[in-house]
Amino acid sequence: MRTRKVCIIGGGVTGLCAAYYAARRGYAVTVVQREPEGGDNCSMGNAGMIVPSHFVPLAAPGMISQGLRWMFNPESPFFVRPRLDPSLARWGWLFYRHANARHVAASRELLRDLNLESRRLFVELEEEESFGLQRRGLLMLCKTAAALEEEAHLAKEANEIGVAAEVLDSPATAALDTAVTMDVAGSVYFPKDCHLAPEAFMASMRKRVLALGVDIVPEVEIESFETRNGAIVSASGGGWTFEADEFVIAGGSWSSGLLAKLGRRLPLQAGKGYSLTLPEPPELPALCSIFTEAKVAITPMGSSLRFGGTMEVGGLDLSIDRKRVMGIVKSVSGYFPKFGLEDFDKVEPWAGLRPVSPDGIPYLGRLRGIPNAIVATGHAMMGLSLGPVTGRLVGDLLAGDMPFRPIDAMAPGRF
C-alpha cells in the first residue's frame, strides 16, 4: 500500500508538532517554512508557558472597554493600529460579538481540556527526551487588592471546572518563591501550569521529526495552489512544487493569506508581542509568573529571565515600537523592586506575530469544500501551550480517528 504524503505549510511549533504526530502514524511528511532552518519565528521568543490556567478566551467581557482605554496610552499592553482594511473591520465586529459572558461559559471547558491534554503530552515528550520542562506552577501576581479580588473570582471559577488554583496573600506568595523579592498584594497560584525555554523545545521537536524521516524545506513561501476536482494537488513557491495527498495550513499569522489563495476567507489578525531576555538578572525567580495589571509574562529560562507582553494588532509588521517595549520595562520594578531600568539597557527586544482569531478559540479542522486541507492556526498567546495537542489532533484528522473530545467549536468555517 502506498504511503500517503502530507505537506505541512508552517514550521513553527504547530507545524512541527503536527509533523511529529503525523509521521508517527506512518505518513510521509514534508514541512515547508518561510523562515531559515531554525529561524527566529513566533515559536522561539515567546514566554514559554504551558497554561491550563488560561481557560478564558481573549474575547471576554470588559476587553472592549479596557482596550479602548489602553488605545490612548503609547506604553499600554494593547493597541490596534487603525487602517482601512475590511478584514480588520470584520475581525473587530466578530470580536465585539463574542466578548460576552455567554461565550466565555461556552468556551472554558474546551480551552481547559485542550491545555490539560497538551500538558499531558508535554510531560510524555519530556519523559522520552528532556527539553527542560519545569512543572512548578504559575503565579498571577497582583499589585493591588482590587486586582487580587478579581483574580480570586477567576480562581473560584477555575476550581469549579477542575483547574486547581489557590489564592495567596503577600507573605504566602513570597514564601512560595523565595528567590525573588516581590512587592505585591498577593497572587493566585496555578500548580498545573509549567514553563520551558521555547528554543529548547523547538530544537527537540526538530530533532524528533528529522529522526522520523520528515523533510523540512526552509526559506520557501507558498505562492499558489493547484486544485483538481475540488482538492489540492500541489503547493508551489520559490521554484519549488510540493505534491501531496493531504495539506495542513499551519502558517501562523500568514495562514489567512494562504487560504485567500484557495478562495477562502479566515478572520485572523496578527497580534505582535515583544520579549526581553536578561542573561544575568538581579534575581532569578523559580516560578514563572504574570504581572496581572501590566499583562507581562515572566519566565526563568536556565540562568536567564524573559519578560514578554503586549498585543499590538497592526498587520504583518515586525518593526519594534520602543514605547511599547518601555511599557514592559517600566512595569517590572513595581512588582520586582530589585530590578531597575538600567538592567534592560543592553537588551535587544524581540518581536513576534501571534495569529489571533476573533473569538479567542483556535482554528482546527478540515476546510469546508476542500476535503484534503486541514487548518491549524489562531492560537494567539497559547501557541506553544497548545502545540502538542494541536499536533495530535491534526494526526487524528488525517487518520479519520475520533478526537479525544469534540472540536466542532474550532472549525475554520465557523464564521
Side-chain angles (χ1 to χ4, degrees):
M1 183 178 178
R2 182 178 68 87
T3 302
R4 291 181 64 78
K5 296 180 180 179
V6 177
C7 177
I8 298 174
I9 302 172
V13 63
T14 300
L16 285 184
C17 288
Y20 174 74
Y21 287 101
R24 281 185 54 173
R25 289 174 176 267
Y27 293 98
V29 181
T30 299
V31 175
V32 184
Q33 63 180 55
R34 300 176 65 258
E35 297 86 3
E37 182 67 40
D40 190 16
N41 54 43
C42 196
S43 300
M44 303 290 277
N46 62 70
M49 294 180 176
I50 294 97
V51 284
S53 60
H54 286 36
F55 57 88
V56 176
L58 187 62
M63 277 301 298
I64 300 291
S65 57
Q66 179 66 74
L68 288 173
R69 289 194 294 272
W70 278 333
M71 282 285 288
F72 300 99
N73 178 359
E75 296 181 354
S76 75
F78 179 78
F79 178 70
V80 177
R81 183 182 300 164
R83 62 189 191 276
L84 294 174
D85 181 349
S87 65
L88 175 61
R90 182 168 182 254
W91 183 91
W93 170 247
L94 290 169
F95 187 97
Y96 168 77
R97 290 188 60 189
H98 288 86
N100 56 65
R102 184 177 60 184
H103 174 62
V104 170
S107 305
R108 62 182 193 173
E109 280 89 2
L110 171 62
L111 293 176
R112 173 203 63 192
D113 292 350
L114 291 172
N115 273 300
L116 286 174
E117 176 61 11
S118 210
R119 182 193 188 278
R120 186 189 70 79
L121 293 170
F122 270 112
V123 172
E124 189 177 88
L125 291 166
E126 168 75 8
E127 290 173 348
E128 291 173 2
E129 180 180 277
S130 177
F131 44 83
L133 179 67
Q134 303 296 316
R135 289 173 266 180
R136 298 176 180 175
L138 173 145
L139 286 169
M140 294 293 299
L141 297 175
C142 301
K143 183 72 178 171
T144 65
L148 183 59
E149 183 178 356
E150 186 174 335
E151 289 300 311
H153 288 298
L154 185 66
K156 181 176 182 293
E157 187 177 346
N159 283 307
E160 287 172 354
I161 64 169
V163 176
E166 184 179 357
V167 181
L168 306 176
D169 60 15
S170 181
T173 301
L176 195 60
D177 193 345
T178 58
V180 62
T181 306
M182 293 181 271
D183 182 6
V184 295
S187 67
V188 172
Y189 175 53
F190 288 95
K192 284 293 185 181
D193 283 22
C194 308
H195 70 270
L196 50 76
E199 300 92 332
F201 179 67
M202 290 292 287
S204 174
M205 292 308 298
R206 189 172 290 108
K207 177 182 175 183
R208 291 171 204 250
V209 300
L210 290 173
L212 288 168
V214 172
D215 291 325
I216 300 178
V217 184
E219 297 186 83
V220 174
E221 187 163 358
I222 295 301
E223 298 162 356
S224 64
F225 294 93
E226 180 185 354
T227 61
R228 189 179 304 143
N229 299 323
I232 302 174
V233 176
S234 64
S236 301
W240 291 76
T241 296
F242 304 94
E243 298 180 348
D245 302 295
E246 300 270 6
F247 291 81
V248 179
I249 311 296
S253 295
W254 285 263
S255 297
S256 57
L258 288 165
L259 289 171
K261 300 178 192 301
L262 290 165
R264 297 294 190 275
R265 290 197 307 171
L266 187 76
L268 188 76
Q269 289 293 315
K272 182 161 56 181
Y274 302 108
S275 70
L276 303 104
T277 305
L278 297 183
E280 297 179 357
E283 294 180 322
L284 185 63
L287 276 67
C288 62
S289 59
I290 294 177
F291 296 161
T292 300
E293 295 93 336
K295 308 299 181 189
V296 171
I298 306 91
T299 309
M301 297 180 181
S303 60
S304 65
L305 188 62
R306 180 168 294 172
F307 297 83
T310 78
M311 175 62 76
E312 188 177 321
V313 180
L316 300 175
D317 171 23
L318 281 166
S319 64
I320 292 173
D321 185 333
R322 297 284 171 174
K323 290 181 179 178
R324 300 214 172 271
V325 173
M326 187 53 63
I328 296 173
V329 172
K330 286 182 177 179
S331 73
V332 176
S333 61
Y335 297 80
F336 292 171
K338 292 296 180 70
F339 288 71
L341 296 179
E342 66 278 2
D343 293 314
F344 295 88
D345 283 347
K346 297 181 180 179
V347 178
E348 190 62 30
W350 171 93
L353 300 176
R354 315 178 190 97
V356 185
S357 70
D359 61 355
I361 304 297
Y363 293 113
L364 181 58
R366 289 197 174 273
L367 195 58
R368 186 183 303 159
I370 304 180
N372 67 334
I374 293 171
V375 177
T377 187
H379 297 77
M381 293 89 73
M382 294 184 288
L384 178 81
S385 185
L386 297 178
V389 71
T390 301
R392 195 195 116 179
L393 287 167
V394 167
D396 291 339
L397 289 167
L398 289 169
D401 290 346
M402 185 73 69
F404 76 99
R405 60 102 68 220
I407 59 170
D408 294 348
M410 304 168 72
R414 64 184 180 266
F415 297 115

